[in-house]
Amino acid sequence: MIVVHHLENSRSQRVLWLLEELGLPYEVKRYERNKATMLAPPELRRIHPLGKSPVIEDDSAAATGGPLVVAETGAIVEYLVEKADGRLGLPAHRRAALHYRHFLHYAEGSLMPPLLVKLVLGRVPLLGKAAQKKIQPMIDVHLDYVESHLTANPWFAGEALTAADIMMSFPLEAARSRAGLDATRPRTMAWLDRIHARPAYQAALKAGGVYAYA
């Protein structure tokens, strides 16, 4: 059985969605953020030294050393896709496969950092608000790039939903919430509507509890 150590309003919502899409059995252990700092609670360090979410434990993969622990969303996604015999993974078509690899890593490697910077700056009085205006143009470059890609492709890796779409969900949901993603980028907004309407996405919301970005 896979246990998902799930932090409210976090990247780990993507893991629940992927598990639902793949039809893999799992359990959820929920954690609440510290209300003062918005950080993960110290209990997560008992699962993994970094004390962050998402983290999964897979006891079906254990030999003699206890459950296999996997951290980092991208690594978890790749692990689960492999466990599901490649479903929602690398497409057969060469161009689609390139897009798959690109967006699987682009989500956290390029798109998420400026969104996180804007979030942090928003909590800094006075100077933080002024600095946010400087980071927004950087975010807009990414949002325009995404919009252009989705204008030419229904999904991030081409004609079908893949794990690349699941990886892209959280940064784009965050962008809609706090970084200017709106109806001026209709293809991206339509993509968000499509993923939110999926039965597996809705089931993941029920499993995960509080999630402000859906």
Side-chain angles (χ1 to χ4, degrees), residues 3 11 15 29 45-46 48 55 57 61 65 70 75-76 80 102 122 131 136 139 144 156 163 174 186 210 212-213:
V3 177
R11 294 164 165 87
V15 175
K29 184 171 177 55
R45 290 194 180 92
R46 299 172 189 165
H48 191 276
V55 176
E57 293 180 282
V70 186
I76 293 170
L80 294 176
H102 172 73
Q136 186 61 48
I139 295 172
D144 288 343
F156 279 100
V210 175
Y213 303 118

Side-chain angles (χ1 to χ4, degrees), residues 44-92:
L44 273 168
R45 290 194 180 92
R46 299 172 189 165
I47 311 303
H48 191 276
L50 293 178
K52 295 183 178 181
S53 175
V55 176
I56 65 168
E57 293 180 282
D58 186 357
D59 59 13
S60 68
T64 57
L68 179 65
V69 177
V70 186
E72 294 294 337
T73 314
I76 293 170
V77 165
E78 291 191 286
Y79 175 81
L80 294 176
V81 166
E82 182 180 0
K83 188 177 179 71
D85 298 323
R87 279 183 290 136
L88 297 185
L90 195 69

Side-chain angles (χ1 to χ4, degrees), residues 166-179:
I166 290 169
M167 281 297 294
M168 288 293 291
S169 63
F170 183 77
L172 290 177
E173 288 170 332
R176 185 178 65 171
S177 174
R178 60 175 182 253

Side-chain angles (χ1 to χ4, degrees), residues 12-65:
S12 61
Q13 187 65 38
R14 292 178 293 192
V15 175
L16 303 181
W17 177 25
L18 178 59
L19 284 163
E20 290 287 346
E21 291 282 359
L22 295 174
L24 296 175
Y26 68 95
E27 296 178 358
V28 181
K29 184 171 177 55
R30 298 181 185 177
Y31 298 81
E32 294 183 359
R33 293 180 181 274
N34 181 295
K35 301 308 178 188
T37 65
M38 296 306 293
L39 297 177
E43 290 87 347
L44 273 168
R45 290 194 180 92
R46 299 172 189 165
I47 311 303
H48 191 276
L50 293 178
K52 295 183 178 181
S53 175
V55 176
I56 65 168
E57 293 180 282
D58 186 357
D59 59 13
S60 68
T64 57

